[in-house]
Amino acid sequence: MKHDKVGSVMTTDVVRATYGTPFKEVARLLAEHGVSGLPVVDEDGKVVGVVSETDLLARQADAARPEERPKRWRIPLPRRSAHRRAARARARTAGRLMSTPPVTVHADVTVAEAARTMARHRVERLPVVDDEDRLVGIVTRRDLLAVFLRPDAEIRRRVVEDVLVGTLWLAPGSVDVSVTGGVVTLTGEIERKSEREIAVSMTRQADGVVAVVDRLTHRLDDSRVHPDEPAVHGIADDWLRRT
């Protein structure tokens, strides 16, 4: 199964900051380009952090916080948190404001893997780097969601070519594939139950697919064949060993 890679959806003309970019310049870049965060790079173009609107707002909130309050109204903070707030309140550059370490991806990572990375780290954008951690692009949640805008006809073509013909070696037209709003319906008869399961599973993983309606049947239930019994072997065997 061929999946879209980050390199095919990322933006290569990246708005960026350096360690010494002033606070107001960061704010101007965010507003002018309509973005909510910027990668911060060093003199070699390597990503060292990310600065976002949240970082800027937190800095302003900390700077506006009264330095001294009556002790009975103060909630004690962990020492590390208190030191970080104090440093952030005095920050004047992107390097002092940025979040580190940066969460990054490579261009050859699949869109699905990038989405999982975003969700796991709860970030809205991922700088894309090369093998030496130099910035080559950026991918956002909106970029990743764009795969669901793929036309139904394109989804159908990919399912037929990559799953049914390319993987299961079925003759074109042996299984009817219809797609409506990203929902794929598979109808027809397949030789083996294991191949039916592969067809449904791989179709579900195809880029742009919202859901799969399984209307397939099978002639042979090979799930009940014991290892020491003779069985009909097919293309599904290799795929099942890898999963």
Side-chain angles (χ1 to χ4, degrees):
M1 168 63 70
K2 298 176 182 177
H3 293 287
D4 283 344
K5 302 297 181 66
V6 165
S8 68
V9 299
M10 71 182 186
T11 298
T12 55
D13 185 15
V14 187
V15 183
R16 67 193 72 188
T18 64
Y19 194 91
T21 301
F23 178 98
K24 283 199 171 184
E25 177 64 10
V26 173
R28 186 191 68 78
L29 289 171
L30 293 174
E32 184 176 295
H33 294 276
V35 294
S36 59
L38 305 171
V40 182
V41 299
D42 63 14
E43 60 275 10
D44 296 320
K46 295 182 178 181
V47 180
V48 293
V50 174
V51 61
S52 67
E53 291 174 334
T54 302
D55 295 320
L56 268 64
L57 291 173
R59 187 270 187 196
Q60 289 302 88
D62 290 338
R65 187 187 304 273
E67 293 185 5
E68 293 293 334
R69 292 182 179 178
K71 290 185 178 180
R72 61 177 178 174
W73 297 115
R74 286 194 302 187
I75 300 176
L77 295 172
R79 180 172 298 179
R80 181 178 299 179
S81 177
H83 286 172
R84 182 175 180 181
R85 278 191 169 183
R88 187 168 57 187
R90 297 190 298 270
R92 298 182 181 180
T93 63
R96 295 292 185 180
L97 289 164
M98 67 184 184
S99 299
T100 58
V103 181
T104 62
V105 292
H106 290 87
D108 59 356
V109 166
T110 66
V111 166
E113 289 175 293
R116 286 193 288 270
T117 299
M118 272 191 188
R120 185 166 61 252
H121 293 278
R122 299 180 180 180
V123 295
E124 298 181 1
R125 69 200 62 79
L126 294 170
V128 184
V129 299
D130 63 15
D131 291 337
E132 296 183 3
D133 292 329
R134 291 175 300 204
L135 182 68
V136 295
I138 195 163
V139 64
T140 65
R141 288 180 179 178
R142 182 176 298 179
D143 296 325
L144 300 185
L145 289 173
V147 299
F148 291 104
L149 300 179
R150 173 167 290 154
D152 289 343
E154 173 63 13
I155 294 175
R156 182 185 183 281
R157 184 185 68 79
R158 294 283 289 269
V159 170
V160 171
E161 293 182 1
D162 295 348
V163 179
L164 302 179
V165 177
T167 299
L168 296 175
W169 296 356
L170 299 178
S174 58
V175 170
D176 180 70
V177 181
S178 63
V179 186
T180 303
V183 178
V184 181
T185 301
L186 302 174
T187 307
E189 187 177 54
I190 291 183
E191 180 66 27
R192 305 169 69 192
K193 181 180 180 181
S194 59
E195 292 173 340
R196 173 186 174 183
E197 293 171 346
I198 291 172
V200 173
S201 177
M202 291 189 69
T203 298
R204 187 176 290 118
Q205 296 173 42
D207 293 330
V209 171
V210 175
V212 177
V213 178
D214 177 14
R215 293 180 180 168
L216 295 171
T217 59
H218 56 271
R219 286 186 285 271
L220 173 66
D221 185 356
D222 55 345
S223 64
R224 299 182 180 181
V225 176
H226 296 288
D228 56 347
E229 293 180 357
V232 178
H233 296 285
I235 189 65
D237 295 315
D238 290 336
W239 192 89
L240 287 170
R241 291 191 194 99
R242 296 195 299 267
T243 59

